[in-house]
């Protein structure tokens, strides 16, 4: 079929050659108005479907260019094709009617279909019955069907004979036609279901060339946009000789097995015998299958046609672990690790009458992760061990010294930790040479921090110090990145420092600066109370992880690995793994070569005799019997929770689920919060493995109706418990007996170190004065401390340092989990993949057969302390004059002062008004009384109030403690005029000056000395009012801070009231309200200024009245006189 089309400026010609079910794509480039082109195929697919199979293919020769370049249509015509002109047209004189090929070559295609892995499950059982369909040219063939597997091994060669290809041979060899491979799932009662397809380019071998076998390689399979597995195959296109006189050049093929040709031996991978040790630990979280619970499950392991089965669990509900935990099998797999076949894990449930039902499967596509690696012995006994370790001081805090020693020992000098704040255990030598333990009974000396009520050090002090340190570390990391980018002239956009959310940041920003860590080696913190300033020593910190602990320690799969079991169909529309998950299998594999296949010149370390002694996989493995564990769950806070109420807030509370145990903390819900601080700890007794999955759910409290689930997170406690990283109880940075950093593990550092050495069969630890010896390594450090002028000996501090460096121990070392807080993401099952918030928490676990641990850590939220701030406004000076007398033209102001604490605007208080201030001076003697709740350690004001009249609960907010004082001009007939303001941070504001003349705006700058009312308690002075950066007045005030108990003992009234009333201010006579005192207003404003004029006017008025009376009565008097006269 030949199509042509043209427009005013462009022409296009397409020659289409139809061939069924072949596909490719088209690419071309325009260069100089002409197209550099060759034959390319097009796919034909059914539109409107997401998963599309190939329906047809066309080979297209396309020319695209300007009309004036139409003479170049045939310049790039592939060799072997000639144009045919049947008609002539003036406008299309260069366009042929047909393209005729004259050269034709015969080829044979050999498709070596070896195996596939990771195919899509198309049956309800979670498996498929796959077969592959190969299409090339006008021919297509299919492989045999492999029943109920996702990893089929066909080992089949498909022959396509006498395939004609047109064009020059060199062009075919350089750009061979593509091959389409489609995979289907066979259904006995319906049409085969499409699993995916891929394209392959064959290796071309011409008749005159020497034959080289092709190499097997993996081709990715796609079902729409979903990756549907990989196909291991090889494709070769062999030219058939054109004349019978030429010798036969096609390579021989193996004898068929029936009608199926196997893949030739020179193409199949070279196999080698491997041994697989399988650890069957147990099954977890199995769901119902066919409406029935799983009761007697069994696991089948299969790889390369070989496999092994576990023992049958007799009662899954009673004990989900296997009774026989290890079994072995041998298999032949390729030497090339990239060609290794997948390993399939299948779980079946045995039911009545010997009937079995498939529960779920899991396919492991990479065996390399399970290869056994022999532990390498250290080549040099003398080495320098780096000092850096996680959760302990930075390298600047430690100095490593390699001392002179015999060649068989390594000496590492560890700087001792700071002198413990709590009395350490004292080791005293008795007469018989044994050491006894005692604790110092002398009372500790009180420090300045102990005498300050607002600086009590507790666990939250440690928490905020750790948060500050994490933020500083993150900031320095980004700063280093930016510095390096600037050096390299690179443009890097610094990402947002998202270590902590806004909710927790609001707490951290309020935390005292004295808690920030100061890095440096052997620097002692000096603290003193000086002019009201208080500094505290460095606090011990813990590790803050901004992710799950599993992500930091490789999912704790060093002991047992968890494999997710899936069941049901998987396609593009239903590709979520959670929807198909039916349970988990816990186990492990150990793969190594067998010695009977050993090649003499191969010195691999992983070759082990099949029957050589104990199973390698059992080295260091604990027993899998049931064990009782005490679990302590600490929930610190949550942030960025998803709103669950119509007002955009939530009322979160905690629910814990572990097995059949459920703890609902509904009574302690936190109203109207998206960033709640829970500070809750829970204690649960559980039995592993029956109760090993801990679910932490955050619900929204609703008074009416059922509570709404905000999000949940799940923790596999069993993996943590058995991990070599020892995630049962984190190692603190420093050792202390009591206090905020008290050691909370059930065993002390020296006992823990002895246990680890015993478990890993290490020689030690040997405790000697000033050092601890483990094997050929000697860790030197301080073991003698001074406590109250008495020397005591303790190895706990040095042992703890060695535990933090446990990863540096040869053969047995690994990183131990430090004392930490992990951040876990909350998810909702109805909103998969969408984060619903984060949760800060940690979990401690203690075996019940060990000594009981100490009391749980008290992380209950700090309760605010009641305070009362009393402010006496004495006087004002130089307040700007806003009013002007319309009679006299004199300026004045009616001054009054208003004050409140930010967040407590409902408790605004005002002084009385100083009327008619002609000089800006105001006298008040007025007392403000502000009671408030305050968190001293966080330096935050706690406000509890209802957001509106319809709110049932009060919302708690934490705000900075800031005082606002404003000066206003009172107006009777209009709104008052704002004159100025001063805002004072109660933690750090400028000290008031003694006189009004020295008061200026420089006092509000950051360079001046700052004081804290919480340390100064009482202060008096002058402070400036400002408006728009200009000085608008000065106020003399006195601040007095009392605790709630002190305020109750010595009360004081507001304003000038009892108790402790204030005297009335001595105001000038001009201070009055004209509206209330009109006669006084007349006297002061009119009489004083116009007294003589008033007297003269009064005299003139009397005189005028006299004259008027005279004039009025004189005519009558004269008339009477005349009449009576």
């Amino acid at each position: 079929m030949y199509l042509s089309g043209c427009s005013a400026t462009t022409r296009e010609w397409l020659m289409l050659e139809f061939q069924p079910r072949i596909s490719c794509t088209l690419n071309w480039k325009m260069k100089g108005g002409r197209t550099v082109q060759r034959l390319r195929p097009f796919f034909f697919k059914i539109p409107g479907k997401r998963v599309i199979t190939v329906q047809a293919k066309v080979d297209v020769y396309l020319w695209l260019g300007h009309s004036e370049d139409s003479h170049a249509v045939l310049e790039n015509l592939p060799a072997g094709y000639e144009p045919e002109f049947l008609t002539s047209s003036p406008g299309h004189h260069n366009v042929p009617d047909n393209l005729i090929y004259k050269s034709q070559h015969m080829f044979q295609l050999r498709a070596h279909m070896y195996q596939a892995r990771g195919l899509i499950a198309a049956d309800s059982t979670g498996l498929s019955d796959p077969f592959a369909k190969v299409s090339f040219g006008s021919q297509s063939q299919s492989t045999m069907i492999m029943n109920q597997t996702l990893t089929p091994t066909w080992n089949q060669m498909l022959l396509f004979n006498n395939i004609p290809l047109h064009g020059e041979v060199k062009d075919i060899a350089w750009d061979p036609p593509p091959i389409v491979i489609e995979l289907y799932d066979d259904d006995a009662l319906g049409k085969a279901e499409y699993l995916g397809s891929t394209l392959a380019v064959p290796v071309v071998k011409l008749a005159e060339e020497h034959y080289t076998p092709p190499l097997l390689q993996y081709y990715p399979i796609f079902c729409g946009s979903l990756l549907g597995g990989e196909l291991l195959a090889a494709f070769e296109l062999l030219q058939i000789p054109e004349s019978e006189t030429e010798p036969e050049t096609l390579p021989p093929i193996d004898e068929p097995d029936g009608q199926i040709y196997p893949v030739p031996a020179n193409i199949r991978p070279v196999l080698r015998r491997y041994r697989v040790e399988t650890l069957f630990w147990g099954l977890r979280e199995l769901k119902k299958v066919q409406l029935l619970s799983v009761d007697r499950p069994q696991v089948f392991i299969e790889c390369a046609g070989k496999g092994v089965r576990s023992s049958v669990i007799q009662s899954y509900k009673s004990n989900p672990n296997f009774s026989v935990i290890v079994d072995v099998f041998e298999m032949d797999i390729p030497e090339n690790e990239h060609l290794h076949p997948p390993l399939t894990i299948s779980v079946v449930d045995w039911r009545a009458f010997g009937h079995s039902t498939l529960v779920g499967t899991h396919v492991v596509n990479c065996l390399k992760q399970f290869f056994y690696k022999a532990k390498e012995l250290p080549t040099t006994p003398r080495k320098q061990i780096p000092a850096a370790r996680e959760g302990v001081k930075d390298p600047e805090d430690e100095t490593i010294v390699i001392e002179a020693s015999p060649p068989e020992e390594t000496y590492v000098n560890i700087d001792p930790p700071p002198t413990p704040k709590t009395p350490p255990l004292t080791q005293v030598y008795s007469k018989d040479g044994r050491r006894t333990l005692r604790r110092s009974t002398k009372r500790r000396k009180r420090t300045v921090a102990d005498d300050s009520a607002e600086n009590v050090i507790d666990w939250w002090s440690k928490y905020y110090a750790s948060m500050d340190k994490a933020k500083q570390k993150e900031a320095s990391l980004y700063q280093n990145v930016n510095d390096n980018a600037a050096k390299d002239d690179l443009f890097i956009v610094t990402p947002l420092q998202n270590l902590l959310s806004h909710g927790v940041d609001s707490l951290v920003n309020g935390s005292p600066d004295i808690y920030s860590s100061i890095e440096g080696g052997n620097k002692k913190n000096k603290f003193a109370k000086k002019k009201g300033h208080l500094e505290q020593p460095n606090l011990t910190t813990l590790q803050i992880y901004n992710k799950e602990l599993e992500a930091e320690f490789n999912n704790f799969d060093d002991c047992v690995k968890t494999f997710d079991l899936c069941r049901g169909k998987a396609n593009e529309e239903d590709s979520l793994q959670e929807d198909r998950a039916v349970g988990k299998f816990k186990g492990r594999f150990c793969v190594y070569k067998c010695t009977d296949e050993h090649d003499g010149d191969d010195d691999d370390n992983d070759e082990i005799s099949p029957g050589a002694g104990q199973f390698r996989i059992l080295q260091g493995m604990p027993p899998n019997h049931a064990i009782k564990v005490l679990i302590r769950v600490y929930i610190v806070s949550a942030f960025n929770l998803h709103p669950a109420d119509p007002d955009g807030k939530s009322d979160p509370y905690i629910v814990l689920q572990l097995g059949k145990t459920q703890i609902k903390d509904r009574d302690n819900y936190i109203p109207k919060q998206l960033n709640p601080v829970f500070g809750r700890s829970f204690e649960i007794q559980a039995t592993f493995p029956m109760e090993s999955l801990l679910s932490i759910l955050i619900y929204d409290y609703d008074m009416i109706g059922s509570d709404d689930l905000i999000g949940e997170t799940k923790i596999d406690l069993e993996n943590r418990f058995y991990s070599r990283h020892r995630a049962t109880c984190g190692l603190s940075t420093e050792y202390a007996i009591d206090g905020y950093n008290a050691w909370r593990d059930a065993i002390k550092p020296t006992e823990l170190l002895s246990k680890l050495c015993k478990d890993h069969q290490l020689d030690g630890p040997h405790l000697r004065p000033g050092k601890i010896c483990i094997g050929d390594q000697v860790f030197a450090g301080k073991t003698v401390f001074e406590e109250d002028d008495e020397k005591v000996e303790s190895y706990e501090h040095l042992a703890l340092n060695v535990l933090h460096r446990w990863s540096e121990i040869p053969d047995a070392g690994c990183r131990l989990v430090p004392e930490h807080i992990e951040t876990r993401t909350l998810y909702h099952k109805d909103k998969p993949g969408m984060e619903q918030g984060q949760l800060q928490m940690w979990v401690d676990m203690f075996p019940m057969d060990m000594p009981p641990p100490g009391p749980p850590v008290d992380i209950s939220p700090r309760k605010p302390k009641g305070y009362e701030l009393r402010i006496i406004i004495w006087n004002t000076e130089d307040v700007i004059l806003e009013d002007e007398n319309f009679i006299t033209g004199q300026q004045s102001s009616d001054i009054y002062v208003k004050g409140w604490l930010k967040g407590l605007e409902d408790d605004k208080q005002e002084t009385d008004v100083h009327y008619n201030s002609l000089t800006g001076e105001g006298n008040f003697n007025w007392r403000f009384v502000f009671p408030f709740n305050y968190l001293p350690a966080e330096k935050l004001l706690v406000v509890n109030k209802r957001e509106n009249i319809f709110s049932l609960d009060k919302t708690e907010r934490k705000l900075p403690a800031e005082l606002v004082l404003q000066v206003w001009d009172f107006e009777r007939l209009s709104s008052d005029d704002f004159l100025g303001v001063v805002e004072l941070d109660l933690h750090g504001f400028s000290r008031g000056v003694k006189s009004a003349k020295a008061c200026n705006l420089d006092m509000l700058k950051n360079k001046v000395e700052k004081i804290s009312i919480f340390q100064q308690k009482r202060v008096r002075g002058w402070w400036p009012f400002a408006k728009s950066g200009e000085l608008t007045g000065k106020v003399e005030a006195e601040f007095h801070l009392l605790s709630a108990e002190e305020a109750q003992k010595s009360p004081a009234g507001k304003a000038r009231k009892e108790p402790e009333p204030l005297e009335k201010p001595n105001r000038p006579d001009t201070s009055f309200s004209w509206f209330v005192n009109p006669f006084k207003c007349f006297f002061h404003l009119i009489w004083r200024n116009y007294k003589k004029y008033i007297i003269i006017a009064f005299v003139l008025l009397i005189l005028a009245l006299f004259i008027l009376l005279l004039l009025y009565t004189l005519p009558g008097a004269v008339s009477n006189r005349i009449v009576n006269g």
Side-chain angles (χ1 to χ4, degrees):
M1 182 178 179
Y2 186 53
L3 301 178
S4 65
C6 66
S7 64
T9 58
T10 308
R11 296 179 181 176
E12 297 180 34
W13 291 271
L14 291 85
M15 187 190 74
L16 309 179
E17 180 184 8
F18 281 96
Q19 296 176 359
R21 308 188 70 80
I22 306 294
S23 58
C24 193
T25 58
L26 173 67
N27 292 310
W28 73 86
K29 296 181 181 179
M30 290 293 297
K31 184 177 180 182
R34 301 181 183 180
T35 305
V36 181
Q37 184 58 283
R38 54 181 182 269
L39 284 177
R40 282 297 187 186
F42 271 133
F43 289 135
F44 279 81
K45 300 179 180 180
I46 300 176
K49 290 187 177 182
R50 300 179 63 184
V51 179
I52 305 171
T53 59
V54 178
Q55 301 297 319
K57 184 206 78 167
V58 292
D59 289 329
V60 177
Y61 174 70
L62 173 67
W63 185 91
L64 176 65
H66 294 286
S67 298
E68 57 267 20
D69 297 327
S70 60
H71 60 277
V73 170
L74 303 176
E75 286 186 3
N76 296 314
L77 189 66
Y81 290 86
E82 293 183 359
E84 180 183 12
F85 297 91
L86 300 178
T87 61
S88 60
S89 174
H92 301 82
H93 60 276
N94 291 323
V95 180
D97 294 282
N98 297 306
L99 293 180
I100 303 173
Y101 54 84
K102 290 190 175 181
S103 58
Q104 175 176 307
H105 306 278
M106 303 302 293
F107 285 84
Q108 181 189 69
L109 175 67
R110 297 183 179 181
H112 306 286
M113 310 293 291
Y114 190 69
Q115 68 180 15
R117 65 184 182 187
L119 299 183
I120 293 176
D123 295 340
S124 59
T125 60
L127 301 174
S128 296
D129 304 319
F131 69 92
K133 185 175 183 179
V134 181
S135 301
F136 184 76
S138 59
Q139 301 183 28
S140 63
Q141 296 186 33
S142 300
T143 64
M144 56 184 173
I145 299 172
M146 307 298 293
N147 294 320
Q148 292 298 292
T149 181
L150 299 179
T151 59
T153 301
W154 294 290
N155 191 20
Q156 182 176 354
M157 180 181 67
L158 303 178
L159 288 177
F160 294 79
N161 294 312
N162 299 324
I163 298 177
L165 298 179
H166 309 105
E168 294 293 332
V169 176
K170 60 179 182 180
D171 293 336
I172 297 175
W174 177 66
D175 186 23
I179 304 170
V180 176
I181 304 100
E182 298 172 299
L183 280 83
Y184 292 90
D185 169 61
D186 180 69
D187 288 333
L189 301 178
K191 185 179 178 181
E193 187 173 349
Y194 178 74
L195 298 180
S197 62
T198 186
L199 289 177
V201 178
V203 178
V204 180
K205 184 264 177 187
L206 302 181
E208 65 276 7
E209 293 179 349
H210 177 70
Y211 176 74
T212 302
L215 298 178
L216 292 172
Q217 59 178 319
Y218 277 105
Y219 296 91
I221 301 170
F222 289 94
C223 181
S225 61
L226 178 66
L227 180 63
E230 293 179 311
L231 172 68
L232 181 60
F235 304 92
E236 52 182 344
L237 190 61
L238 308 175
Q239 183 183 9
I240 300 176
E242 296 181 359
S243 62
E244 297 179 357
T245 59
E246 295 184 14
E248 181 67 30
T249 58
L250 295 179
I253 59 178
D254 295 345
E255 291 294 329
D257 184 7
Q259 296 182 352
I260 297 176
Y261 289 92
V263 177
N266 57 353
I267 297 178
R268 290 198 303 266
V270 179
L271 303 181
R272 187 157 191 180
R273 179 60 59 89
Y274 279 78
R275 189 183 193 204
V276 181
E277 293 184 359
T278 305
L279 173 68
F280 297 99
W281 186 266
L283 295 170
R284 304 288 184 267
E285 304 174 44
L286 295 183
K287 299 180 181 179
K288 291 184 178 181
V289 179
Q290 298 177 358
L291 304 179
L292 295 177
S293 300
V294 177
D295 186 51
R296 300 179 65 243
Q298 185 179 20
V299 177
F300 292 81
I301 308 296
E302 187 272 332
C303 184
K306 304 293 183 179
V308 70
R309 64 179 62 185
S310 70
S311 59
V312 179
I313 297 178
Q314 297 302 322
S315 178
Y316 172 75
K317 293 183 179 179
S318 300
N319 188 0
N321 281 353
F322 294 99
S323 56
V324 179
I325 63 173
V326 179
D327 207 341
V328 250
F329 69 96
E330 296 180 0
M331 62 181 180
D332 295 325
I333 59 176
E335 285 187 338
N336 187 353
E337 63 183 24
H338 299 290
L339 303 181
H340 284 167
L343 185 143
T344 303
I345 304 171
S346 302
V347 178
V348 299
D349 179 33
W350 292 99
R351 296 183 174 175
F353 307 107
H355 174 67
S356 63
T357 301
L358 180 64
V359 177
T361 61
H362 181 90
V363 178
V364 180
N365 290 322
C366 181
L367 296 179
K368 185 179 179 180
Q369 56 182 319
F370 303 115
F371 274 31
Y372 176 79
K373 294 181 180 179
K375 296 180 180 179
E376 298 180 359
L377 296 177
T379 55
T380 56
R382 292 172 56 85
K383 63 180 180 180
Q384 180 171 341
I385 300 180
R389 65 182 183 267
E390 185 171 356
V392 197
K393 298 187 184 303
D394 291 343
E396 293 86 352
D397 298 328
E398 296 186 358
T399 305
I400 300 178
V401 179
I402 306 298
E403 303 176 357
S405 59
E408 67 275 2
E409 288 187 345
T410 301
Y411 279 78
V412 180
N413 187 3
I414 305 177
D415 280 348
T419 304
K421 303 177 182 60
T422 55
L425 292 179
T426 307
Q427 295 187 354
V428 182
Y429 290 90
S430 58
K431 295 181 179 181
D432 56 357
R434 293 180 298 175
R435 284 178 291 189
T436 60
L437 299 179
R438 68 176 180 87
R439 180 177 296 177
S440 177
T441 57
K442 290 187 176 181
R443 183 178 180 181
R444 293 185 297 157
K445 296 180 179 179
R446 294 179 60 83
T447 62
V448 177
D450 295 329
D451 296 330
S452 179
E454 64 268 21
N455 289 288
V456 175
I457 299 178
D458 57 1
W459 182 89
W460 287 97
S461 307
K462 180 179 180 180
Y463 169 74
Y464 290 127
S466 305
M467 299 281 274
D468 286 344
K469 185 175 181 180
K471 295 188 71 172
Q472 292 172 7
K473 184 178 179 181
E474 189 79 4
S476 63
L477 176 63
Y478 286 124
Q479 183 64 34
N480 294 336
V481 172
N482 290 338
D483 294 342
N484 295 334
K487 293 179 182 179
D488 298 336
D489 293 330
L490 297 177
F491 178 75
I492 295 181
V493 179
T494 304
L496 294 176
Q497 299 182 12
N498 228 359
L499 177 65
L500 301 169
S501 72
H502 173 72
V504 178
D505 277 343
S506 63
L507 299 178
V508 178
N509 293 336
S511 61
D513 296 336
I514 56 177
Y515 293 151
S516 59
S517 299
I518 302 175
E519 305 296 336
N522 292 337
K523 290 185 178 181
K524 297 182 178 180
N525 297 311
K526 299 179 180 180
F527 53 95
K529 193 172 184 179
K530 186 178 182 181
K531 293 184 179 181
H533 292 278
L534 185 63
E535 296 182 0
Q536 285 188 350
N538 253 354
L539 297 180
T540 304
T541 59
L542 48 82
Q543 183 68 37
I544 302 289
Y545 292 114
N546 60 344
K547 53 187 175 182
E548 284 82 358
L549 195 62
E550 284 78 6
E552 187 71 22
F553 291 89
N554 197 23
N555 291 323
F556 296 109
D557 59 1
D558 52 289
C559 181
V560 291
K561 190 173 179 63
T562 304
F563 303 92
D564 294 326
L565 302 173
C566 297
R567 179 184 174 87
K569 294 184 178 182
N571 49 50
E572 191 176 18
E573 288 80 8
D574 187 20
S575 58
L576 295 176
Q577 189 76 3
E578 294 82 359
D579 298 338
R580 303 177 54 238
V582 294
K584 296 180 179 179
F585 164 68
K586 286 193 174 184
R588 215 173 75 189
F589 302 98
C590 181
V591 183
Y592 50 83
K593 297 177 183 177
C594 297
T595 54
D596 49 7
E597 293 284 331
H598 175 51
D599 195 353
D601 56 359
D602 191 359
D603 295 331
D604 291 343
N605 292 327
D606 56 353
E607 298 209 5
I608 309 295
S609 174
Q614 186 185 11
F615 293 112
R616 300 287 173 178
I617 203 171
L618 288 180
Q619 294 180 358
M621 282 296 300
N624 71 338
H625 55 71
I627 182 172
K628 293 184 178 180
V629 182
L630 175 65
I631 300 170
R632 289 175 178 171
V633 183
Y634 298 89
I635 310 295
V636 181
S637 62
F639 46 91
N640 293 340
L641 293 182
H642 191 275
D645 292 338
D647 59 355
K649 298 294 182 67
S650 294
D651 307 317
Y653 66 90
I654 304 168
V655 175
L656 298 184
Q657 292 180 355
L658 182 63
K660 296 181 180 180
T661 303
Q662 185 184 65
I663 299 178
K664 239 181 180 180
D665 198 31
R666 193 172 187 268
D667 294 337
N668 295 311
Y669 74 95
I670 301 178
K672 305 302 178 184
Q673 276 291 339
L674 297 180
N675 305 293
V677 177
F678 292 111
R680 300 288 295 166
S681 60
F682 306 92
E683 193 168 282
I684 308 174
Q685 293 186 7
T687 302
F688 292 165
M690 285 71 75
E691 302 166 329
S692 61
L693 183 65
L694 174 65
S695 297
I696 304 169
L697 304 93
I698 304 298
Y699 274 89
D700 171 62
Y701 175 88
D702 288 330
M703 182 171 291
I704 301 175
S706 60
D707 297 343
D708 302 322
L709 175 64
I710 299 177
E712 65 176 323
T713 183
K714 297 182 179 181
I715 303 176
D716 189 341
L717 300 178
E718 187 180 23
N719 279 18
R720 293 190 178 195
F721 185 81
Y722 290 110
S723 173
R724 294 173 60 241
H725 297 288
R726 199 178 181 276
T728 54
C729 185
L731 300 174
S732 61
T733 307
E734 296 179 5
Y735 178 77
I737 297 177
D738 54 12
Y740 75 99
N741 192 43
W743 183 259
R744 68 173 192 266
D745 206 338
I747 55 179
K748 297 175 182 176
T750 52
E751 299 172 352
L752 177 58
L753 186 61
S754 301
K755 183 178 182 299
L756 290 176
C757 292
K758 180 180 178 181
D759 293 341
H760 294 89
Q761 300 179 357
L762 298 177
D763 182 22
H766 302 289
L767 308 181
R768 300 171 185 172
K771 57 186 177 181
I772 293 179
C773 303
I774 300 177
D776 58 354
Q777 289 186 315
V778 179
F779 294 88
K782 188 175 180 180
T783 57
V784 178
F785 304 89
E786 291 186 2
E787 181 68 24
D788 296 337
D789 300 330
E790 180 183 354
K791 291 185 178 181
V792 294
E793 185 178 16
S794 174
Y795 288 91
E796 305 298 341
H797 308 280
L798 183 56
L800 180 58
N801 281 348
V802 176
L803 290 174
H804 282 293
R805 304 170 67 97
W806 186 254
S807 59
E808 302 162 2
I809 302 296
D811 301 336
C814 67
R815 188 158 60 107
L816 301 182
V817 175
E819 186 181 12
H820 66 278
I821 292 177
E822 60 176 312
T823 305
R824 303 192 66 85
T825 303
L826 301 173
Y827 292 99
H828 196 290
K829 59 181 179 180
D830 295 335
K831 304 172 185 177
M834 296 179 60
E835 296 184 2
Q836 304 299 310
Q838 287 78 35
L839 191 68
Q840 283 192 325
M841 57 165 295
W842 85 89
V843 180
D844 287 343
M845 295 178 285
F846 307 99
M848 300 290 285
D849 56 357
M850 298 286 290
V857 181
D858 182 15
I859 65 168
S860 56
R862 288 167 167 165
K863 294 182 179 180
K865 185 177 180 181
Y867 284 92
E868 185 174 282
L869 179 62
R870 300 174 182 175
I871 304 173
I872 300 177
I873 306 297
W874 294 107
N875 303 297
T876 61
E877 286 283 352
D878 298 335
V879 176
I880 60 175
L881 306 178
E882 287 285 327
D883 297 336
E884 183 176 351
N885 192 301
F886 67 93
I887 299 176
T888 63
Q890 191 174 20
Q891 290 186 333
S892 63
S893 287
D894 301 330
I895 304 171
Y896 71 93
V897 179
K898 183 188 299 185
W900 71 90
L901 290 174
K902 282 189 176 181
L904 299 174
E905 286 79 4
D906 296 338
D907 192 21
K908 287 184 180 179
Q909 300 180 34
E910 301 175 359
T911 65
D912 59 348
V913 182
H914 183 115
Y915 291 100
N916 298 325
S917 174
L918 305 179
T919 61
E921 178 185 359
N923 310 111
F924 297 99
N925 294 4
W926 194 275
R927 181 186 289 121
F928 295 153
V929 179
F930 297 110
F932 63 94
N933 294 323
Y934 178 74
L935 290 173
E938 300 177 28
K939 294 185 177 180
L940 293 175
L941 195 71
V942 180
V943 179
N944 292 284
K945 64 179 181 179
R946 291 181 175 88
E947 294 184 348
N948 51 65
I949 59 175
F950 301 103
S951 299
L952 299 177
D953 299 302
K954 293 182 179 180
T955 302
E956 180 181 289
R957 291 191 301 163
K958 296 181 180 180
L959 304 171
E962 295 183 2
L963 172 69
V964 180
L965 294 177
Q966 294 179 346
V967 59
W968 290 75
D969 175 41
F970 178 78
E971 298 289 346
R972 175 66 64 179
L973 301 178
S974 62
S975 60
D976 297 348
D977 298 329
F978 171 70
L979 301 181
V981 64
V982 58
E983 296 184 3
L984 301 178
D985 185 353
L986 298 182
H987 292 291
F989 60 94
S990 59
R991 183 184 294 273
V993 295
K994 295 182 179 180
S995 64
K997 293 182 179 179
C999 182
N1000 52 48
L1001 291 179
D1002 293 337
M1003 297 174 58
L1004 302 180
K1005 297 181 180 179
N1006 294 327
K1007 297 181 181 180
V1008 299
E1009 180 188 2
K1010 302 289 185 180
I1011 61 173
S1012 172
I1013 191 62
F1014 294 97
Q1015 296 170 356
Q1016 198 77 3
K1017 300 299 183 182
R1018 194 161 194 163
V1019 63
R1020 179 173 178 172
W1022 289 85
W1023 286 271
F1025 287 119
K1027 179 182 179 182
S1028 302
E1030 297 181 358
L1031 182 65
T1032 58
K1034 305 169 185 178
V1035 61
E1036 182 186 13
E1038 180 180 354
F1039 303 104
H1040 187 196
L1041 182 70
L1042 299 91
S1043 64
E1045 295 79 8
E1046 295 172 343
Q1048 189 175 6
K1049 292 179 181 179
S1050 58
K1054 294 182 180 180
R1056 305 185 189 98
K1057 299 178 180 178
E1058 294 283 350
E1060 296 188 14
L1062 298 175
E1063 295 181 358
K1064 290 185 177 181
N1066 184 18
R1067 292 174 178 169
D1069 295 336
T1070 58
S1071 178
F1072 59 86
S1073 173
W1074 65 269
F1075 189 82
V1076 179
N1077 302 283
F1079 296 104
K1080 187 180 289 189
C1081 176
F1082 171 80
F1083 176 78
H1084 287 282
L1085 296 181
I1086 300 176
W1087 177 258
R1088 283 187 175 183
N1089 295 313
Y1090 304 99
K1091 179 170 61 174
K1092 61 181 180 178
Y1093 299 106
I1094 294 174
I1095 294 174
I1096 294 173
F1098 183 73
V1099 172
L1100 291 176
L1101 179 62
I1102 294 175
L1103 184 60
L1105 290 174
F1106 179 77
I1107 294 173
L1108 289 174
L1109 290 174
L1110 181 63
L1111 294 177
Y1112 177 76
T1113 59
L1114 184 61
V1118 171
S1119 299
N1120 291 329
R1121 189 76 176 174
I1122 293 174
V1123 172
N1124 298 324

